[in-house]
């Protein structure tokens, strides 16, 4: 058995024999090859953790191909969220420490009719209840609960609470281009300081925390933009290089998972120099509560969690949408780890 066959089997054994439905349902389906490559300059032993696209109702991971000089690599998943991980080890003194990994992914747009959702959650599955719990960055008590109660004070049910929270986040936050990466999503700090500027992880984590504090399961989804958005070039104009295209979306649960992305409303406003009352902003704002166009690939919804296998220090990481590296047992700044990241997209 060659290594490619092994990885195909590992997709089933590690992530489960997941039923992959027909994605089309009258919508366009896209296929992307997403390729990471790196040549590491370190003589010391290196460990790498690379985020892997997950399979969902709107996305399918079809194949993983790894080309590397590593002494060991395998597909893993974390023990809490089940986030798919490609784990790689390089030994001390290896002259070459090279890695190229190619993911074949199929994906489509999403659309949920908010008017057909139940007003409240009558039953929350065990796997969904995880997304009611607080984490280090997504707290649900104290000032977070105070804001949530105030924002939703006039709401009669959970769908009205979601809409009130979404509108409040859109109207009170702003995209801060000076923030590094996608931001840290430290919700308590945002509310305590009153500084509501940030990037996608900050803004969408605020939405998620306020939903959880209101008794509504919600989560961030970390991923990457791989093609232009049909909504606006200001949201995504990626064509050849997705190196800086990481993006965090959000979802809430009312009988099913429903997409929401207040952060991209704020990105549209900044990038196209529009006002909140601009007709285009109003249209995109309405669309991004319940819908998502097909320009982005999801990795995972893991937050404040331990990688698998764990870091040498045993510490948790905030989120996982960038490759993580450890050199001689020391964690490397993810923003200073340079990977070539390329992709191409074709209509299926």
């Amino acid at each position: 058995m060659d290594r490619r066959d092994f990885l195909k089997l590992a997709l089933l054994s590690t992530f489960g024999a997941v039923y992959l439905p027909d994605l089309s349902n009258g919508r366009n389906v896209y296929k992307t090859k997403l390729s990471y490559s790196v040549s590491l300059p370190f003589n010391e032993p290196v460990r790498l953790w690379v985020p892997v696209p997950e399979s969902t109702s709107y996305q399918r991971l079809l194949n993983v191909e790894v080309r590397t000089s590593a002494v060991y690599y395998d597909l893993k998943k974390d023990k809490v969220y089940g986030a798919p991980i490609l784990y790689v080890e390089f030994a001390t003194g290896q002259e070459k420490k090279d890695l190229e990994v190619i993911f074949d992914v199929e994906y489509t747009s999403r659309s949920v009719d908010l008017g057909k959702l139940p007003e409240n959650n009558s039953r929350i599955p065990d796997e969904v209840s995880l997304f009611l719990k607080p984490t280090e960055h997504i707290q649900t008590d104290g000032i977070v609960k105070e804001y949530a109660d105030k924002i939703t004070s006039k709401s009669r049910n959970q769908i009205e609470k979601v809409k009130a929270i979404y509108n409040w986040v859109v109207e009170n936050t702003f995209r801060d281009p000076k923030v590094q990466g996608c931001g840290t999503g430290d919700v308590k700090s945002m509310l305590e300081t009153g500084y509501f500027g940030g990037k996608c992880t900050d803004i969408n984590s605020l939405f998620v925390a306020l939903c959880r504090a209101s008794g509504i399961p919600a989560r961030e989804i970390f991923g990457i933009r791989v093609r232009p958005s049909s909504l606006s070039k200001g949201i995504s104009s990626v064509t050849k290089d997705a190196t800086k295209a990481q993006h965090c979306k959000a979802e809430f649960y009312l009988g099913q998972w429903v997409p929401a992305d207040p952060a991209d409303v704020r990105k549209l406003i900044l990038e196209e120099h529009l006002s909140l009352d601009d007709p285009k902003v109003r249209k995109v704002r309405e669309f991004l509560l319940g819908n998502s166009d097909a320009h982005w690939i999801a990795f995972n919804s893991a937050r404040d969690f331990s990688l698998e296998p764990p870091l040498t220090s045993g510490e948790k990481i905030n989120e996982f949408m960038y490759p993580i590296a450890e050199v001689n047992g020391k964690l490397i700044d993810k923003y200073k780890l340079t990977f070539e990241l390329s992709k191409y997209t074709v209509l299926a």
Side-chain angles (χ1 to χ4, degrees), residues 139-155 161-162 164-165 168 191 206-216:
Q139 298 189 8
T140 57
D141 59 359
I143 194 169
V144 181
K145 178 64 173 171
E146 292 171 11
Y147 265 84
D149 288 346
K150 183 177 180 180
I151 293 166
T152 63
S153 62
K154 297 181 181 179
S155 302
K161 288 182 179 181
V162 169
I165 292 168
W168 185 89
L191 295 176
L206 182 58
F207 171 82
V208 165
L210 292 170
C211 283
R212 290 190 191 182
S214 301
I216 303 161

Side-chain angles (χ1 to χ4, degrees), residues 6-18 75:
F6 171 81
L7 281 171
K8 288 178 182 178
L9 290 175
L11 279 173
L12 294 178
S13 63
T14 302
F15 305 136
V18 181
L75 291 166

Side-chain angles (χ1 to χ4, degrees), residues 325-337:
E326 186 183 84
V327 178
N328 203 24
K330 295 183 179 180
L331 188 62
I332 300 299
D333 185 342
K334 65 186 178 184
Y335 298 122
K336 295 181 180 178
L337 183 67

